[in-house]
Amino acid sequence: MWKFIVRRLFITFPQIVLLSVLIFLMAQMMPGDALSGLIDPNIDPAAIEAQREKLGLNNPWYVQYTDWISGALQGDLGQSFRYKMPVTDLIELRLVNTFWLSVATLIITYLIAIPLGITSGRYNDSWADQLITSYTYVGFATPLFIFALVMLWIFGYQLGWFPTSGSVAPGTEPGTFQYVVSKIQHLLLPAISMALITTVNTVQYLRNEIVDTKQKDFIITARAKGASESRVYNRHILRNSLLPIAAFFGFEITGLIGGTVFVENIFGYPGMGQLFLESITQRDYSVVTSVVLLFGIASILGALISDIILSLVDPRIRIK
């Protein structure tokens, strides 16, 4: 088991290094630079060029990359030109919001997906299965950003059940009970919107696992030995079908990364996704590269977690 984990870690490290290089090169290929469009045009061009030289923006890309990655390894991701503060501090503020939004989304996803998947798989081809399957088909066909806009319009603006922007009510004192309640109210609607779409993958995966397991030889043998249907289902079918769902957890993390970019901007939720798009439009390159790097590392680690969990569930996939 440990050999498998070590080998996966050896694969993960070069992936992160290659990812950092690609991210930096793509940022370099973007038009303009951190000073483009953000400086008064009346300023002497020579002064602007001197500032570029001072910031190292005229250095070769490999020199800039070495400076950037060496600083990142020390926890220094540079300075945000737009927010006039260290990128590390800026990301720390936004990362907390995205973390809690992701946690809430995962909890809601599994609270919905597991009961629906179990019901659909156990009673496949029934009216309940057809109803749940129809929901998953609609979920697969509905773009997340369209669904989020509809949810915001109905439950935010029309019914007024949830706040329509921000992560906490203005003027709320941090650390108080009202502050916690306000934070939960602000993240519930974006979390529910994401969960109702992302849950369809887990529902279908669990349903197919249960249907497939019911046809296995050891299930037929258990029934032939006279075991009750409830015992066969609970001790054999359900147990074997739920285990792969644990391995699916890492890929859920990866899926959340793309979802937060859309949802946070639609709901005006100040998280990493919103920061990412704002930084692109403002050409805040130090923030863009840092956020994309963190997103990429999270995706790679999510795949690593899935592989490790799956190796625990099914030892046959371990690398010998």
Side-chain angles (χ1 to χ4, degrees):
M1 179 62 202
W2 287 108
K3 291 182 179 179
F4 171 78
I5 295 176
V6 170
R7 289 178 181 178
R8 283 295 287 111
L9 288 174
F10 273 117
I11 296 174
T12 299
F13 180 72
Q15 288 177 332
I16 294 176
V17 174
L18 179 60
L19 174 69
S20 67
V21 174
L22 292 176
I23 289 171
F24 190 83
L25 289 177
M26 286 189 290
Q28 290 286 307
M29 289 187 290
M30 293 174 65
D33 56 33
L35 300 180
S36 299
L38 298 180
I39 295 180
D40 188 344
N42 297 321
I43 297 177
D44 184 4
I48 297 176
E49 189 62 27
Q51 186 68 12
R52 285 196 175 97
E53 190 68 31
K54 178 182 177 181
L55 295 173
L57 299 178
N58 293 332
N59 293 336
W61 73 267
Y62 52 86
V63 175
Q64 295 185 50
Y65 171 78
T66 303
D67 294 339
W68 173 65
I69 202 65
S70 60
L73 293 174
Q74 300 174 34
D76 180 13
L77 295 173
Q79 189 82 7
S80 170
F81 292 94
R82 181 190 177 202
Y83 294 95
K84 308 301 181 185
M85 63 184 298
V87 177
T88 305
D89 296 341
L90 179 61
I91 288 178
E92 184 178 349
L93 293 173
R94 299 296 188 96
L95 188 60
V96 174
N97 289 334
T98 298
F99 171 78
W100 287 116
L101 176 61
S102 301
V103 169
T105 302
L106 283 174
I107 292 174
I108 297 171
T109 295
Y110 283 105
L111 287 177
I112 296 172
I114 292 179
L116 291 183
I118 290 174
T119 302
S120 183
R122 183 170 187 177
Y123 305 105
N124 60 302
D125 298 327
S126 65
W127 66 268
D129 176 41
Q130 294 176 2
L131 190 63
I132 294 171
T133 303
S134 298
Y135 158 65
T136 61
Y137 288 162
V138 172
F140 282 126
T142 305
L144 176 58
F145 66 93
I146 296 294
F147 184 73
L149 285 171
V150 173
M151 292 286 287
L152 177 63
W153 181 74
I154 294 175
F155 296 102
Y157 290 105
Q158 297 299 314
L159 299 178
W161 291 358
F162 299 95
T164 56
S165 64
S167 64
V168 67
T172 308
E173 184 179 352
T176 62
F177 178 73
Q178 290 79 8
Y179 182 85
V180 175
V181 172
S182 180
K183 293 287 279 189
I184 294 174
Q185 289 176 335
H186 281 77
L187 68 81
L188 268 180
L189 186 57
I192 292 172
S193 301
M194 267 203 297
L196 288 175
I197 294 298
T198 58
T199 193
V200 297
N201 293 303
T202 308
V203 171
Q204 280 285 42
Y205 187 71
L206 180 56
R207 176 194 181 277
N208 294 337
E209 281 291 325
I210 293 175
V211 172
D212 183 61
T213 304
K214 288 196 297 186
Q215 302 171 4
K216 295 290 179 66
D217 291 340
F218 70 94
I219 300 298
I220 298 175
T221 302
R223 287 196 176 105
K225 290 182 177 180
S228 63
E229 189 62 29
S230 61
R231 180 182 176 86
V232 170
Y233 181 79
N234 294 325
R235 299 201 57 175
H236 298 288
I237 297 176
L238 186 58
R239 180 180 296 180
N240 284 277
S241 300
L242 282 176
L243 288 177
I245 294 298
F248 204 63
F249 175 77
F251 295 105
E252 293 280 6
I253 297 175
T254 304
L256 283 176
I257 294 173
T260 55
V261 173
F262 295 109
V263 169
E264 287 181 358
N265 279 276
I266 290 171
F267 288 93
Y269 190 81
M272 295 285 286
Q274 187 185 60
L275 177 64
F276 170 63
L277 289 185
E278 289 177 349
S279 302
I280 291 178
T281 57
Q282 295 294 330
R283 294 175 180 170
D284 201 345
Y285 294 100
S286 56
V287 178
V288 172
T289 52
S290 300
V291 172
V292 176
L293 179 63
L294 289 177
F295 279 166
I297 291 175
S299 299
I300 292 173
L301 293 180
L304 175 63
I305 292 172
S306 293
D307 287 346
I308 292 175
I309 295 176
L310 191 58
S311 70
L312 293 172
V313 172
D314 187 357
R316 293 173 299 177
I317 73 162
R318 296 178 192 169
I319 301 175
K320 301 300 182 182

